[in-house]
Amino acid sequence: MSAGSRFGKAVFLGLSLAVSATFMALAIESPQHFWLGWITLLPLLQAARVLSPLNAFGAGAFWGVSLLAACAAMGSHNISFSLSSAAILTLGPALYACFGAFLTRRVVFSRYLMGLG
């Protein structure tokens, strides 16, 4: 695989993670867009499926930071903006993606186990 191809895939994954986090922020803020919450984790699950655990940790952290930034940009009243909430919103998805990537490498990617997580 060429370096340009890897770069393009990384950019696409990063953009899809940022867009998905923005959609999650919209689903949190707006009850009429609740259905967005059903599809917003797909890029994060894909990251856990195809990346190494360390890279999946970074992708999950990026998703969490993007969610926090999108909520802040929307003026969210549902999320408190503090150091502890930033840490939780960053580390939660990061650890989830890392564990999912580790599990994928150890056993096999399982939608059921990832959903249970």
Side-chain angles (χ1 to χ4, degrees), residues 47-49 51-53 56 96-106 114:
R49 187 170 160 238
L51 298 176
S52 69
Y96 177 78
C98 181
F99 177 71
F102 176 75
L103 190 63
T104 298
R105 301 291 180 276
R106 210 64 173 139
M114 292 298 288

Side-chain angles (χ1 to χ4, degrees), residues 23-97:
F23 283 164
M24 179 62 89
L26 184 60
I28 290 169
E29 274 306 299
S30 177
Q32 64 265 29
H33 294 107
F34 71 93
W35 57 272
L36 285 173
W38 297 344
I39 59 171
T40 58
L41 292 180
L42 292 177
L44 193 58
L45 292 174
Q46 179 66 9
R49 187 170 160 238
V50 300
L51 298 176
S52 69
L54 185 60
N55 289 337
F57 183 88
F62 177 72
W63 189 87
V65 168
S66 297
L67 175 62
L68 188 64
C71 286
M74 290 180 189
S76 177
H77 300 291
N78 296 323
I79 294 179
S80 66
F81 296 100
S82 65
L83 187 58
S84 62
S85 67
I88 290 169
L89 280 175
T90 302
L91 286 176
L95 291 172
Y96 177 78

